[in-house]
Amino acid sequence: MHTKIYSVASINIDEVYSVPHIARAGETLSSTERQQNAGGKGANASIAAARSGAAVHVVGKVGDDGRWLCDLLQSCGAHTEHITVDSSSMTGRAIIQVDAQGENAIVLFPGANQRITGEEVQRALGGARAGDWLMLTNETSAVAEAMEIGHARGMRVLWNPAPMQENAGKLARMADVLVVNQTELQGLASHLGLEHADDTEMAEQVMQELKLHVLAVTLGGSGCLGLVRRPQENAHEIHTADSDVKQQADR
């Protein structure tokens, strides 16, 4: 039996506006270009995994305006039978300003992403087996329910806790793989009451406290930091084309 990935996914329509600078308070600004794309951390991750050949089952919700997103996910190889179309809601949207330097500002409308119910997740995960993957972000409703169901079934849980909420420290204890940025790492460390000096020490403490198998921390232009739990106590650094990825043992 092949391992499956169940992705409780945020599915958005991204509206991207090119602007000379990010709009200031009270300012009306004309854009030079507009693009509409598929978005949402969960949808993007699902597409990437499906294109890599994984068996991805997407659990989500869109409005009538997002039916084309289901078609797109399906065309990329993802299974969409667990995506519900809610005619009483709008699909989630992100309004994104991008300036000439590539900096951005984003306004997020959760829409149907926040209408996913625990019962829908329970049904979708009914066929999941121990060893299957559960992939989530914090951009949908029913995250806690999904993690509890996945953890109870022996699934491996990969979680990106953005946007960070007060229950992040509690939920993170059910994760096997955690993906955060620097700000989220700091917030998680604070939730857990951990003291830290720098990103590496902070990541090591979070890794140990939560008993994670993998902790990935994105560092913006500085690359990323990756900690992997292994039985032997050694560490080495892997140089990649895009960034330096450090793998350190959880001692």
Side-chain angles (χ1 to χ4, degrees), residues 45-187:
S46 299
I47 288 172
R51 284 177 171 171
S52 73
V56 180
H57 296 258
V58 183
V59 184
K61 188 168 287 191
V62 297
D64 282 324
D65 56 339
R67 290 179 182 272
W68 65 274
L69 294 167
C70 300
D71 295 336
L72 175 63
L73 283 158
Q74 197 166 23
S75 72
C76 293
H79 299 268
T80 59
E81 66 272 15
H82 299 304
I83 298 178
T84 303
V85 177
D86 182 351
S87 298
S88 66
S89 180
M90 290 181 62
T91 300
R93 287 183 184 259
I95 309 302
I96 306 169
Q97 299 178 60
V98 182
D99 70 13
Q101 288 71 47
E103 296 296 328
N104 65 61
I106 302 172
V107 176
L108 186 65
F109 170 67
N113 292 313
Q114 288 297 323
R115 293 197 172 190
I116 299 172
T117 67
E119 290 77 11
E120 288 167 340
V121 171
Q122 178 77 54
R123 286 196 298 272
L125 298 183
R129 298 171 178 268
D132 284 342
W133 282 92
L134 175 62
M135 186 165 62
L136 315 98
T137 72
N138 238 17
E139 294 182 335
T140 72
S141 54
V143 171
E145 293 94 326
M147 292 184 77
E148 288 166 359
I149 294 167
H151 188 68
R153 283 182 169 271
M155 300 177 75
R156 292 171 287 184
V157 179
L158 186 157
W159 187 39
N160 181 330
M164 189 75 71
Q165 296 178 1
E166 286 298 320
N167 63 351
K170 177 183 177 181
L171 295 183
R173 296 185 184 279
M174 291 186 283
D176 298 288
V177 179
L178 200 63
V179 181
V180 295
N181 63 23
Q182 282 175 293
T183 302
E184 292 153 4
L185 177 66
Q186 292 165 2

